[in-house]
Amino acid sequence: MSQSPPDLATELLRLAEADPARLTELATEVARRARTGGDLELGSSAHRALGIAALHVTDLRTAERHLRDAIRLAVRAGSPELAAEARLRLAFVRCVQGRMEQAISEVELALPDLHGAGRARAEAQRAVIFNHLRRPEDALASYRLAVPVLSRAGDHLWLQRVLSNRGIVHGYRHEFAAAESDFQEAERLCRRLDLGLSLAVVWQNLGWLNALRGEVPAALRYLDQAEERFRTLDTHQLCWTLADRTELLLSAGLIAEAREAAEETVQEFERRGRKVGLPEARLLLARTAYLVRDHEEAVREARRAALAFGRQHRREWVAVARFVALRSLAAMSADDRAVSAGSRVSVRQMEECAAELAETGWPASEVEARMIAARLAVDAGRPARAERQWEIAARRRHRGPAGERIHAWHAAALLRLARGNVRGARSAIRTALRLHDEHRATLGATDLRAHASESRVEVAELGLRLALRDGVPADVLTWAERGRARHLLMRPARPAHDRHLAEALAQLRLTVARIDESRTAGEDTGALVERQITLEREIRDHCRRQAKIPTESVPIAPAPSAPAPARPVSTEPIPTELTPTEPISAESAPPTPIPAGPVSSGPSPTGSSPTGPVPLRQVAEALGEQALVEFVQVDDVLHAITVAGGRSRLHALGPLAAVRTLVDRVPFALRRLARRTSVPGSQAAALNLLRDTVAKLDALLLRPLAAELRDRPLVLVPSGPIQALPWSLLPSCASRAICVSPSATLWYAGSQAGHARTGDARVVVAAGPGLPGARSEAEGVASIHAVPALVDDAAGAEAVLTDLDGAALAHVAAHGRIHPSNPLFSSLRLADGPLTVYDLERLRRAPEIVVLAACDTGRFVVRPGDELLGLSATFLALGTRTIVAPVLSILDTESTTLMIALHKLLAAGHSTASALAQAQQQVARDNLEAYAVAAGFVCLGADSTMPA
């Protein structure tokens, strides 16, 4: 308290922006002493600081009360300028309350009593209100008046705030360099003035800016920093950070997480009484509801938001809220053909909505609205109106964030196609896919890459429809590969030695082990489960913050020549394009000879994004005596491309619905067969069901291709519901060597990688706890290869991971688990806890051949675009050539007999696919339980043989 009153007042106002909780205690004492001493001006400053602090950490009513006290004391002190300064802060409270007219009135009342820097502060406050009203030109005009005056006056406390707010306006206008410059200068001033809270606000804004630019890892880093600071200080800015995080999750395609975040955002705005942000949060919730097809909630929340925006006189926000509601109504009409004609969304309604979005400055939402309008016009038989909407949307293909340009290139493709320019349409589609791949290459985390493909799918499908219409097998294969399992061609970004990640994973294993022990003992596990959830979230977020770093990638063939809250970013996937194409005839197209050409293993690894699908001629050369079948699904119709004996052929297999129904029966039948204690006749009934089902599947999937496939070993590239099919059950596959791959490009990379692999010939065998027969299986397998088995405490996660690195062959018998919400926490249970996908991604060099005798480890979690996640998918992405694993969850039945037979054949020099086929045939003769267990295993990747 030794400071002079003016200095003390300045320090109180600074502290309100740095540490509001600490300020509250200090300013309360200063206000008391000022009242006792009759110092009205100091008392006014103390109450203004208390009002600012209350705005951040308590409630708006308290803030308003303190600011009115500050105005009253300043008037009594005969200081109109001091009263006006307090009135500026009251204007911001009104703004946060959503009372925009009153906020502007408070600024107008303050202006006559302000001069110099004070008047500049008033202009800056008015600019904030203009920003909430989506009037960027007016906001920038006010900032142009304020910034030079504040700079000359040395008012750095206000200058940092003004720069941070001006950066937001630049971000709205996609002037990213200007926005970043403002934020960086504001960050420098905050550090210089020791403004902890304001610094966190700048971090939040930098997170928002990076999200707007599509730089997800950087956005996550900044938002995490800001959220941690806001939670520590318990300030209202947490609401906005949660909103920005929701927007970012939406842009990354993480819809389930985005919906949870949107619900938390709404609750936080309601709890803190921030009415200006509540309708924006409701709009986010409506957008997430739309993406999970909960259209009724989407319409309800969007309409609530529109009403609230209207009450706040925020016309621009009303426009985007109306669009979100209208979009969901259009989707409801498309989903339910029984909807009455009067409730359907018309072409004119959506055209007018798009025009309003253009007028009010929502470019990304405008593009989306025009795409919907065009689709409605196509449905209504009005092609000219559809072309007009595509034409306007396509104008944005050369500017704006990546997501907006991708959608605009999609519109350009549809426009060119409608006008008969098929070549130009294909060029536009390739450009859209290239932009998407360039964006995805910046993402380090595997789940971000997989989920990012959602917005890519419909663009790739358009190219695939065109190829199917033309009926050229090579083109169909190329376009199918462009939209299939692309993220597996890119290794995840991880520092070579990530100590933080390793420690967090070790803590997770310890926690899971304690949960198991507590459950066995009948003890409460609530706190431990909460700890597990916290650790999983920490690991997930840490990995997502990693940007793409140069690292090895699989060699692939060269491509053939040829609205966030207060900061809206509309990045939801565009609705499916419905331009009709000619269906492929039910008859198979004639075979096409494949021209000879040199085989290229692709460019040397660079760590960049994949350059393109492998050309068909290189696939044919690499196949040798094998035959490839790539299944393709478009518009719920299944097609297949066969490549065999130097010839390719395209086949139309029929509706996908029949296949999906049959595939769903297989796990049920196998589980009944695997049960050792069943009611009389149960196994016989299950066997009959299984035989009937697989015979019908065979008739739909492979028998139509028999003339091409003959008795060749097969490479199968499944799609959609047949990803988890146990292929050995199909009559056409009996005793045949089969490899299943996520894509032809990934299979080709594995087949070529084998030619260059040299060195380590180690065999690693490990067994986890609690799995019947796992120890005896591991010891039996280890004896075949004359190596020790890692069992009991020796089979800890770090020990197994160390031995896996670079091994020629690895066999793990353990409990397998598919994580219910995050496939990257799918795991193998080892002695000290789970070995997760995140652990596996720490491998410097994946094993050559991996055998997983663990439930579900061959089953993928399938994202749109056949992007696959899970344990086996991770091994393939890391460079493992061949995996043997079960695609089904069939109790915890011993697989020892099958595994011993398999490894004897591997040790005798048989290829992995051939060894598995023979072992399955041997075991099938033993009993039905063994047959059911053996049938669930598949060979994934490219075939390979153990080194001599």
Side-chain angles (χ1 to χ4, degrees):
M1 297 292 293
S2 60
Q3 293 173 291
S4 65
D7 290 341
L8 181 57
T10 300
E11 175 59 17
L12 290 177
L13 294 171
R14 185 200 70 81
L15 196 57
E17 304 286 356
D19 190 342
R22 181 178 159 211
L23 172 282
T24 299
E25 182 178 353
L26 177 60
T28 300
E29 173 62 19
V30 170
R32 185 189 65 78
R33 295 187 63 172
R35 183 171 61 252
T36 302
D39 191 335
L40 298 176
E41 290 190 357
L42 181 59
S44 176
S45 296
H47 277 285
R48 176 155 44 117
L50 285 167
I52 295 170
L55 173 68
H56 292 314
V57 298
T58 53
D59 61 80
L60 296 178
R61 289 183 179 178
T62 301
E64 181 178 349
R65 175 170 55 81
H66 281 299
L67 291 170
R68 288 199 175 282
D69 285 345
I71 295 169
R72 177 178 54 79
L73 290 171
V75 170
R76 286 179 57 195
S79 177
E81 186 170 3
L82 201 59
E85 293 282 3
R87 198 175 291 282
L88 290 182
R89 304 308 287 173
L90 182 59
F92 185 63
V93 171
R94 294 281 183 250
C95 179
V96 175
Q97 290 172 330
R99 296 154 73 176
M100 298 301 175
E101 289 187 346
Q102 291 185 32
I104 291 176
S105 295
E106 293 290 353
V107 175
E108 297 295 337
L109 285 172
L111 275 171
D113 296 319
L114 293 170
H115 309 280
R119 193 172 186 88
R121 289 191 285 270
E123 289 292 347
Q125 190 61 67
R126 183 155 53 182
V128 170
I129 301 167
F130 288 150
N131 202 16
H132 278 287
L133 290 169
R134 290 282 292 179
R135 292 165 56 181
E137 296 298 338
D138 291 334
L140 285 176
S142 290
Y143 285 134
R144 279 193 291 272
L145 293 172
V147 170
V149 176
L150 293 172
S151 183
R152 286 195 300 270
D155 189 348
H156 294 153
L157 182 64
W158 264 82
L159 183 60
Q160 60 81 22
R161 185 185 303 126
V162 170
L163 290 172
S164 190
N165 288 332
R166 188 176 70 177
I168 295 171
V169 181
H170 285 311
Y172 278 145
R173 294 158 57 90
H174 294 167
E175 297 164 350
F176 297 141
E180 187 168 37
S181 176
D182 277 349
F183 291 148
Q184 288 176 345
E185 178 62 15
E187 183 179 24
R188 186 185 67 80
L189 289 172
C190 288
R191 292 186 185 279
R192 175 179 163 189
L193 297 173
D194 192 24
L195 301 177
L197 173 59
S198 296
L199 179 60
V201 171
V202 176
W203 289 338
Q204 177 198 353
N205 289 335
L206 282 165
W208 163 75
L209 179 67
N210 279 281
L212 196 62
R213 293 191 295 200
E215 297 175 6
V216 176
L220 285 169
R221 287 195 296 273
Y222 280 119
L223 290 178
D224 285 348
Q225 286 178 258
E227 183 176 341
E228 182 179 2
R229 181 68 59 86
F230 293 147
R231 288 192 185 277
T232 299
L233 297 175
D234 191 27
T235 66
H236 79 99
Q237 285 87 355
L238 177 63
C239 302
W240 302 101
T241 306
L242 293 174
D244 285 344
R245 183 179 295 280
T246 303
E247 187 68 57
L248 182 62
L249 292 170
L250 276 173
S251 73
L254 298 163
I255 309 305
E257 290 182 42
R259 191 170 191 181
E260 291 180 7
E263 290 169 349
E264 184 183 2
T265 303
V266 169
Q267 293 168 4
E268 192 68 19
F269 272 112
E270 287 179 329
R271 183 176 75 85
R272 293 182 181 272
R274 264 48 181 181
K275 292 184 179 180
V276 71
L278 183 57
E280 298 171 27
R282 292 198 184 284
L283 192 58
L284 280 173
L285 186 56
R287 290 170 57 197
T288 61
Y290 166 80
L291 291 172
V292 296
R293 307 188 75 82
D294 187 352
H295 298 309
E296 290 185 1
E297 181 181 20
V299 171
R300 181 173 61 252
E301 292 296 336
R303 285 175 171 170
R304 291 179 71 180
L307 287 172
F309 287 134
R311 287 193 294 267
Q312 295 173 7
H313 303 284
R314 299 166 71 183
R315 171 176 167 269
E316 289 79 1
W317 284 92
V318 172
V320 76
R322 285 175 179 165
F323 162 64
V324 172
L326 201 60
R327 178 181 63 177
S328 290
L329 287 170
M332 289 171 68
S333 299
D335 290 347
D336 186 358
R337 300 301 176 185
V339 172
S340 64
S343 62
R344 292 186 184 277
V345 176
S346 69
V347 178
R348 180 176 296 279
Q349 280 179 291
M350 194 57 75
E351 288 173 338
E352 291 174 350
C353 178
E356 187 179 19
L357 290 167
E359 180 187 350
T360 51
W362 300 94
S365 293
E366 178 208 345
V367 170
E368 188 172 354
R370 295 197 186 281
M371 294 289 280
I372 298 173
R375 187 196 71 197
L376 293 172
V378 169
D379 288 347
R382 300 176 179 178
R385 291 178 72 169
E387 288 181 28
R388 176 59 179 162
Q389 294 305 310
W390 288 326
E391 182 179 19
I392 298 173
R395 293 172 184 169
R396 308 197 74 80
R397 64 190 185 276
H398 296 301
R399 62 184 184 275
E404 186 179 321
R405 286 181 287 139
I406 290 167
H407 298 326
W409 276 107
H410 186 193
L414 294 170
L415 177 65
R416 293 172 185 180
L417 183 62
R419 293 177 175 175
N421 183 3
V422 177
R423 183 177 180 181
R426 288 196 175 103
S427 176
I429 295 168
R430 283 194 294 268
T431 301
L433 296 179
R434 175 179 56 78
L435 287 171
H436 187 280
D437 286 343
E438 288 174 355
H439 164 64
R440 183 164 53 181
T442 67
L443 306 177
T446 300
D447 58 340
L448 289 181
R449 290 176 178 170
H451 286 271
S453 292
E454 291 204 27
S455 60
R456 190 182 197 276
V457 171
E458 60 184 317
V459 183
E461 282 188 352
L462 178 58
L464 185 55
R465 286 191 192 96
L466 292 177
L468 284 168
R469 186 177 67 180
D470 293 343
V472 179
D475 290 345
V476 175
L477 180 68
T478 296
W479 282 102
E481 288 290 302
R482 281 197 170 107
R484 188 189 295 268
R486 301 292 290 165
H487 89 277
L488 295 181
L489 300 171
M490 306 163 66
R491 288 199 61 159
R494 297 287 183 273
H497 301 289
D498 192 332
R499 180 175 299 176
H500 176 83
L501 177 60
E503 290 176 354
L505 288 166
Q507 285 296 313
L508 177 62
R509 283 193 290 275
L510 179 62
T511 301
V512 172
R514 287 177 176 171
I515 290 173
D516 291 340
E517 293 171 1
S518 297
R519 284 176 177 164
T520 301
E523 299 171 352
D524 179 65
T525 60
L528 288 170
V529 170
E530 285 296 320
R531 172 65 173 158
Q532 177 187 0
I533 293 171
T534 300
L535 285 167
E536 288 179 349
R537 185 182 300 116
E538 178 184 337
I539 291 165
R540 178 201 68 191
D541 292 346
H542 173 79
C543 292
R544 287 179 179 175
R545 289 191 293 266
Q546 307 304 311
K548 182 70 177 73
I549 56 177
T551 183
E552 288 189 10
S553 61
V554 297
I556 57 176
S561 61
R567 310 176 183 122
V569 188
S570 184
T571 48
E572 302 93 320
I574 299 294
T576 304
E577 180 275 318
L578 297 177
T579 299
T581 59
E582 286 185 27
I584 298 294
S585 167
E587 297 292 329
S588 295
T592 303
I594 300 170
V599 176
S600 168
S601 62
S604 58
T606 62
S608 60
S609 60
T611 55
V614 59
L616 189 145
R617 71 173 185 276
Q618 295 185 205
V619 173
E621 292 279 358
L623 282 169
E625 292 303 312
Q626 301 173 93
L628 178 137
V629 182
E630 177 147 343
F631 294 94
V632 178
Q633 55 170 331
V634 176
D635 301 325
D636 283 327
V637 176
L638 192 63
H639 306 265
I641 308 118
T642 56
V643 184
R647 300 171 76 84
S648 62
R649 193 167 183 174
L650 180 62
H651 311 258
L653 299 179
L656 192 62
V659 174
R660 186 180 287 112
T661 300
L662 291 168
V663 168
D664 290 342
R665 296 178 188 172
V666 175
F668 170 76
L670 282 176
R671 278 193 290 269
R672 289 185 67 182
L673 281 178
R675 289 175 182 156
R676 294 179 177 175
T677 56
S678 296
V679 297
S682 175
Q683 284 191 324
L687 184 60
N688 289 335
L689 173 63
L690 182 64
R691 285 173 175 169
D692 177 69
T693 300
V694 297
K696 290 177 179 177
L697 281 169
D698 197 46
L700 291 172
L701 299 176
L702 293 179
R703 271 177 30 205
L705 319 177
E708 303 297 318
L709 305 182
R710 301 179 185 176
D711 60 352
R712 300 171 182 273
L714 297 181
V715 176
L716 302 176
V717 181
S719 179
I722 57 175
Q723 290 281 7
L725 186 62
W727 291 93
S728 67
L729 290 169
L730 274 60
S732 295
C733 297
S735 72
R736 193 195 297 246
I738 299 170
C739 288
V740 180
S741 179
S743 72
T745 304
L746 193 65
W747 171 85
Y748 177 80
S751 69
Q752 299 305 295
H755 301 319
R757 183 106 179 192
T758 58
D760 203 337
R762 287 181 301 110
V763 175
V764 179
V765 183
L771 182 66
R775 181 188 180 111
S776 61
E777 177 183 308
E779 290 173 343
V781 169
S783 67
I784 293 170
H785 300 288
V787 297
L790 296 174
V791 297
D792 299 330
D793 290 344
E798 288 296 332
V800 171
L801 196 65
T802 299
D803 281 6
L804 286 177
D805 208 303
L809 170 65
H811 177 103
V812 181
H815 279 294
R817 177 177 180 259
I818 299 288
H819 195 280
S821 59
N822 187 342
L824 299 191
F825 284 109
S826 297
S827 60
L828 298 167
R829 182 183 171 193
L830 297 177
D832 57 348
L835 180 76
T836 69
V837 168
Y838 287 112
D839 287 295
L840 295 176
E841 288 182 343
R842 295 162 56 207
L843 290 170
R844 292 171 299 176
R845 189 177 187 185
E848 178 89 351
I849 302 171
V850 174
V851 180
L852 298 174
C855 241
D856 284 324
T857 49
R859 182 158 63 93
F860 302 119
V861 175
V862 185
R863 299 293 306 160
D866 283 321
E867 297 289 0
L868 309 178
L869 295 168
L871 289 161
S872 293
T874 300
F875 274 116
L876 291 173
L878 293 174
T880 293
R881 287 188 68 200
T882 317
I883 302 169
V884 174
V887 292
L888 299 175
S889 177
I890 309 175
L891 305 178
D892 287 326
T893 309
E894 293 183 24
S895 56
T896 302
T897 305
L898 176 69
M899 293 295 102
I900 295 298
L902 170 69
H903 280 277
K904 284 181 178 178
L905 291 163
L906 287 174
H910 292 269
S911 74
T912 309
S914 175
L916 178 62
Q918 293 181 61
Q920 286 173 323
Q921 288 294 303
Q922 292 175 24
V923 170
R925 295 191 291 266
D926 293 346
N927 56 61
L928 289 178
E929 292 93 345
Y931 166 68
V933 172
F937 281 81
V938 296
C939 182
L940 301 167
D943 201 5
S944 59
T945 304
M946 283 187 61

